[in-house]
Amino acid sequence: MEHQRRSQPRLSPSGDTEDMALLLAPRLAYFAGVARTEHVTRAAHEMNVPQSTLSRAMVRLEQDLGVDLFARHGRTVSLTPAGRTFLGSVERALAEVERAAEEVRADADPATGKVAFGFLHTMGPETVPGLLHAFRADHPRVRFSLVQNYGEAMLEGLRAGELDLCLTSPVPDAPDLVARRLDEQKLRLVVPADHRLAGRRRIRLAEAADETFVTLEPGYGLRRITDDLCREAGFRPRVAFEGEEAETLRGLVAAGLGVALLPPPTVPRPGVVELTVTAPRAVREIGVAWLADHTDTPPVAAFKKFLLSRRGSLLPS
């Protein structure tokens, strides 16, 4: 066959080949089978497809490419130089598809699959390690991809398919997500050890209206809760420093740079005093969220069931 007899690939108005991958993909495995056996009938038998289907697929493949891939010799075929070049790329592509298929099958395995799990930074030092330790007592080979981030970023991770589940606060309310409240965590007003309020054990938040605050950056759930609680107490906090980590904020408080509303620390930090807030009720709800209308793999389903079973006992007492 002469190359001139082949029709050229269809082009879009912009000049790019129109949906070339979509055109070629279904025929690549057929091409590799014919190239391996150099015999259409034998390849059709090995792949359990009608010979006529295979022959038409090869003709259409050559037409779409505008190149002869095979030289015909009666019932046998041999690869042209273009066919040999194409075969190398096709074999690599098929191997990559097989590798990807094996990976997703492995991730879905009930015993050894993977869970992509996101959680707040403040959950990292103690809560999440304890949860994983308890879960793996019954699922010792399940693997985890762990992501620490702030709430909104994790919700976007769910929507992008990067996370299966996440622990977040506040508990989200969105039509494309499912969320369940698991626990609540008291927030304390953290002041420097030499602060005028340091001798107190309890405080109404309104008593801190004139203080300078250090907070997490806008977009963090704890920042929103801080702003809401201060508003409920009748004032807008004067913010001097914004950060990304609760423990960094504690360090800023210890340095005398402000006060902060924070969850309890994993271990006590010197240089600060933590006061119980009596009014308004200063807590943050912790919940688990996942994408609505999404089918869980067995390991994700098992971990979700485990998390829901921890309602009311998620956080250390």
Side-chain angles (χ1 to χ4, degrees):
M1 297 183 188
E2 298 296 327
H3 290 285
Q4 291 84 347
R5 292 191 302 170
R6 296 292 178 205
S7 61
Q8 294 300 312
R10 292 176 291 164
L11 300 180
S12 67
S14 64
D16 295 327
T17 303
E18 180 185 358
D19 296 330
M20 184 57 75
L22 185 62
L23 288 169
L24 300 182
R27 307 186 190 103
L28 297 185
Y30 287 170
F31 167 74
V34 174
R36 182 178 62 253
T37 61
E38 296 189 331
H39 199 287
V40 176
T41 303
R42 193 176 308 139
H45 177 73
E46 289 183 1
M47 289 186 285
N48 196 29
V49 296
Q51 179 179 329
S52 58
T53 298
L54 195 56
S55 296
R56 285 195 301 270
M58 293 305 94
V59 170
R60 182 63 183 275
L61 178 62
E62 291 177 312
Q63 289 175 344
D64 288 336
L65 288 173
V67 175
D68 289 326
L69 301 174
F70 297 104
R72 274 73 175 177
H73 314 284
R75 300 190 178 198
T76 64
V77 295
S78 61
L79 287 170
T80 65
R84 284 193 293 273
T85 299
F86 190 57
L87 178 62
S89 296
V90 167
E91 288 178 332
R92 289 191 294 274
L94 293 175
E96 181 64 17
V97 170
E98 179 61 26
R99 184 203 63 77
E102 287 296 329
E103 183 175 319
V104 296
R105 281 197 291 263
D107 286 349
D109 185 274
T112 62
K114 185 171 72 173
V115 179
F117 181 45
F119 51 92
L120 300 168
H121 289 94
T122 51
M123 302 280 101
E126 186 173 356
T127 301
V128 168
L131 287 172
L132 299 184
H133 177 76
F135 176 74
R136 283 170 64 91
D138 293 324
H139 304 82
R141 295 192 293 161
V142 168
R143 297 169 291 125
F144 282 84
S145 173
L146 302 176
V147 176
Q148 290 180 268
N149 216 324
Y150 65 97
E152 287 300 322
M154 287 193 295
L155 300 185
E156 290 308 309
L158 290 176
R159 294 182 173 109
E162 298 165 357
L163 293 175
D164 297 310
L165 302 164
C166 69
L167 287 181
T168 188
S169 177
V171 180
D173 180 13
D176 60 334
L177 300 174
V178 179
R180 297 287 183 269
R181 180 186 179 279
L182 295 180
D183 213 339
E184 66 178 30
Q185 188 174 46
K186 292 182 179 179
L187 301 179
R188 299 169 178 171
L189 184 69
V190 185
V191 302
D194 59 356
H195 193 273
R196 65 180 179 87
L197 298 172
R200 302 273 296 274
R201 296 182 60 186
R202 294 177 175 81
I203 188 172
R204 291 179 296 106
L205 189 56
E207 297 178 72
D210 295 330
E211 298 294 332
T212 297
F213 278 71
V214 295
T215 70
L216 295 180
E217 294 176 350
Y220 283 70
L222 186 56
R223 170 60 180 271
R224 192 193 326 167
I225 293 170
T226 296
D227 290 344
D228 289 346
L229 287 172
C230 290
R231 186 181 305 111
E232 190 176 346
F235 69 96
R236 181 177 180 178
R238 292 186 295 113
V239 177
F241 295 92
E242 296 174 335
E244 298 179 346
E245 294 265 357
E247 290 311 303
T248 299
L249 299 187
R250 264 194 181 82
L252 294 174
V253 173
L257 298 176
V259 302
L261 276 170
L262 296 174
T266 304
V267 294
R269 182 179 185 122
V272 301
V273 174
E274 312 221 354
L275 308 178
T276 298
V277 178
T278 58
R281 187 169 183 266
V283 298
R284 66 169 179 172
E285 291 187 336
I286 305 296
V288 58
W290 60 88
L291 199 62
D293 301 321
H294 180 73
T295 302
D296 294 329
T297 63
V300 171
F303 189 57
K304 181 189 294 184
K305 181 179 179 181
F306 167 79
L307 288 176
L308 294 175
S309 74
R310 307 284 291 201
R311 286 176 177 169
S313 60
L314 178 77
L315 301 172
S317 57

